[in-house]
Amino acid sequence: METNNDKKLTVVLGASPNPERYSHLAVNRLKAKGHPVVAIGKRAAAIGDTPIITEHPPLEKVDTVTMYLNPLAQKEYYDYILQLQPNRIIFNPGAENPELEDIARQHNIRPVEACTLVMLSTGQF
């Protein structure tokens, strides 16, 4: 049985209001599984009742940052991700970034090359 402690605060970087984008699906599926989500994107919008914000708010107890940005677009988020001190960063297909993976390891953040949607559907999230 899942308790609230099993729910992982997740920051979706590269969130898109376009329902065909994987980041959009991830926000919806994370919420459907009861995980609190902070969606950060380039433009203010919404995914259902989840706002997509453009700022980088301070957050506590972040379990996961799931990445939907290409490596070049990730650079501006490096310092922010380190401030969040997540337990892991999931690099979804197309977001793999050896540089950020090395930086993450140096800060005791576990890099994971995987698909958030697959992890959710197989119970590995």
Side-chain angles (χ1 to χ4, degrees):
M1 178 157 125
E2 290 187 8
T3 65
N4 208 27
N5 295 342
D6 297 332
K7 300 307 174 192
K8 298 174 171 72
L9 175 57
T10 302
V11 174
V12 177
L13 278 183
S16 170
N18 180 342
E20 295 179 8
R21 305 294 296 196
Y22 290 119
S23 62
H24 187 99
L25 293 170
V27 168
N28 284 331
R29 298 219 182 125
L30 284 160
K31 299 249 326 185
K33 297 263 185 189
H35 297 290
V37 176
V38 175
I40 298 177
K42 288 286 180 201
R43 288 178 295 284
I47 298 172
D49 62 356
T50 302
I52 298 174
I53 60 173
T54 57
E55 60 271 6
H56 307 156
L59 301 168
E60 293 185 6
K61 297 184 177 156
V62 173
D63 180 80
T64 304
V65 170
T66 185
M67 188 68 71
Y68 288 96
L69 297 169
N70 70 53
L72 192 60
Q74 293 172 23
K75 283 190 182 291
E76 70 179 272
Y77 292 98
Y78 284 13
D79 290 340
Y80 179 60
I81 292 167
L82 295 178
Q83 287 171 15
L84 294 176
Q85 299 178 312
N87 292 320
R88 65 182 173 179
I89 303 170
I90 299 173
F91 293 89
N92 288 279
E96 299 90 345
N97 181 346
E99 180 183 56
L100 183 52
E101 291 177 36
D102 287 343
I103 292 169
R105 282 187 201 92
Q106 292 165 18
H107 289 84
N108 297 314
I109 300 167
R110 185 168 50 103
V112 179
E113 288 188 6
C115 175
T116 298
L117 296 171
V118 171
M119 291 174 74
L120 284 164
S121 68
T122 59
Q124 296 175 323
F125 193 87

